[in-house]
Amino acid sequence: MKNIDYKLLHAFNMVIKYESFDKAAEFLYLTQSAVSQRIKQLEQLVSQPVLIRSTPLRATEIGKKLLNHYYQVQQLEADLLPHIYPEDLISPLTISLATNADSLATWLIPALAKLIQTHNIELNLEVTNETNTIYKLKNGEVFGAISTQATALPGCVVDKLGNMNYVLVASPDFRDKHFKKGVNKDALLKAPGLLFDSKDMMHIEFIKKEFGLLQGSYPCHIIHSSEAFVNFAKQGLAYCLIAELQIKDELKEGKLINLLPKKQINQTLYWHRWSLVKGVFKKFSDNIIEQGSNILS
């Protein structure tokens, strides 16, 4: 039976992390040739390619599985070393998780704040659409992900966090200018909307379901920021779907108007993470579950 050589996995991880053999070599204090040789040795060990030599460099399916295993071994090591060498200065522990932008803009940071303040941690937040965060976990890039998917991945567990409610809003001036006769198909063909990105299916599916309009048939700005959504809407530049949790004050003060009070979208969020979670990773996981369950409806 062949044993995994973690020296080779470490080199592979650096190549994927920096998307470059040269940068990985610089980090590892090796030559580019030596790093390349380690990748070849790893591929010989598993008898198949682990790297797609494209731009950027990408891991193959078996490569993703190896990286996922490597990250979990790192987690176990990080939990064990302080008990073995309590007097040694331990390097910061990198904790990577995937989140949707709306959770990050509302309830997630308070869930992480105390642990970041009390532990030697480098936090890496991968921010993407809530339907895509699960792929970050599947590919081994993060130890946990906030997602709309209810089913756990192999080797992972999942807990329900709660519902995040979204409402269609605009400023009073925007409403008076574009929706004098209410929100209807004709008005939406001219009024500019707002998307988080081109894969913002929540907005696209909502407009399609309620008004029969297809993506591309109506104008939409694209801004990759939940906070900018609020500012854009408050400035009267667009209408958009925003998490109600994020704009409670604006709705109360009348700076934003709920355009369709009888219609809202409820997205159920789930917390996925590796089955084998210990130490600080478990504390992070527990805090996310507790905060999410307390804040989300």
Side-chain angles (χ1 to χ4, degrees):
M1 180 178 177
K2 296 180 180 179
N3 294 321
I4 295 177
D5 188 335
Y6 288 93
K7 176 181 67 178
L8 306 183
L9 274 184
H10 184 46
F12 178 42
N13 177 53
M14 290 299 104
V15 170
I16 292 297
K17 179 178 180 179
Y18 292 111
E19 299 180 349
S20 165
F21 279 89
D22 289 334
K23 290 181 180 179
E26 183 178 347
F27 178 88
L28 295 168
Y29 298 100
L30 297 171
T31 64
Q32 189 273 344
S33 177
V35 172
S36 181
Q37 185 61 34
R38 290 189 181 186
I39 301 302
K40 290 180 181 178
Q41 289 175 347
L42 181 60
E43 291 179 327
Q44 290 171 355
L45 181 68
V46 298
S47 302
Q48 57 184 297
V50 299
L51 193 65
I52 299 174
R53 289 161 174 79
S54 59
T55 305
L57 296 168
R58 294 183 292 117
T60 63
E61 286 304 312
I62 188 62
K64 292 174 183 177
K65 291 180 180 180
L66 287 168
L67 287 174
N68 201 348
H69 170 76
Y70 178 69
Y71 296 147
Q72 294 189 54
V73 170
Q74 281 189 310
Q75 176 205 163
L76 293 172
E77 183 178 278
D79 184 55
L80 178 63
L81 286 179
H83 300 285
I84 300 176
Y85 308 112
E87 302 301 323
D88 286 1
L89 180 62
I90 305 298
S91 299
L93 173 62
T94 299
I95 293 184
S96 300
L97 60 92
T99 177
N100 59 323
D102 296 329
S103 290
L104 181 60
T106 52
W107 63 270
L108 182 59
I109 291 178
L112 308 178
K114 186 175 180 180
L115 288 172
I116 295 173
Q117 292 168 346
T118 57
H119 291 75
N120 190 17
I121 290 169
E122 289 180 343
L123 185 64
N124 175 36
L125 289 176
E126 297 283 348
V127 183
T128 186
N129 189 283
E130 54 274 348
T131 59
N132 296 324
T133 51
I134 198 71
Y135 297 109
K136 296 284 185 179
L137 179 62
K138 183 179 180 181
N139 293 341
E141 299 175 53
V142 298
F143 94 94
I146 297 168
S147 170
T148 51
Q149 179 171 311
T151 305
L153 296 173
C156 296
V157 292
V158 59
D159 276 281
K160 178 180 176 180
L161 296 173
N163 295 322
M164 184 167 277
N165 302 320
Y166 292 81
V167 291
L168 194 72
V169 300
S171 70
D173 289 343
F174 189 94
R175 178 197 59 185
D176 295 342
K177 179 179 179 180
H178 293 279
F179 300 127
K180 289 181 180 179
K181 297 180 180 180
V183 181
N184 55 58
K185 187 174 183 178
D186 291 337
L188 290 171
L189 288 171
K190 299 177 182 179
L194 190 59
L195 299 176
F196 182 78
D197 57 30
S198 59
K199 298 178 181 178
D200 187 357
M201 298 309 297
M202 180 168 53
H203 181 104
I204 293 166
E205 292 298 328
F206 179 80
I207 297 300
K208 179 182 177 182
K209 176 184 175 182
E210 301 296 336
F211 302 99
L213 294 175
L214 299 178
Q215 181 182 11
S217 65
Y218 50 91
C220 268
H221 302 290
I222 295 179
I223 297 184
H224 301 267
S225 167
S226 289
E227 292 83 355
F229 260 52
V230 177
N231 290 329
F232 227 72
K234 285 169 61 177
Q235 293 297 321
L237 302 176
Y239 72 93
C240 52
L241 281 166
I242 302 181
E244 191 174 16
L245 181 63
Q246 192 177 357
I247 53 171
K248 284 185 175 180
D249 291 340
E250 286 80 2
L251 289 171
K252 184 178 180 180
E253 296 166 4
K255 294 179 180 178
L256 291 175
I257 305 296
N258 188 342
L259 299 172
L260 298 172
K262 295 183 179 181
K263 298 182 184 295
Q264 64 178 13
I265 294 179
N266 297 316
Q267 276 204 334
T268 303
L269 296 179
Y270 300 87
W271 170 241
H272 297 254
R273 71 277 187 196
W274 297 331
S275 298
L276 187 61
V277 171
K278 299 180 64 178
V280 179
F281 288 85
K282 186 177 187 305
K283 292 179 182 179
F284 262 80
S285 184
D286 291 344
N287 282 17
I288 288 171
I289 294 171
E290 180 181 3
Q291 182 79 355
S293 300
N294 288 339
I295 298 298
L296 300 176
S297 58

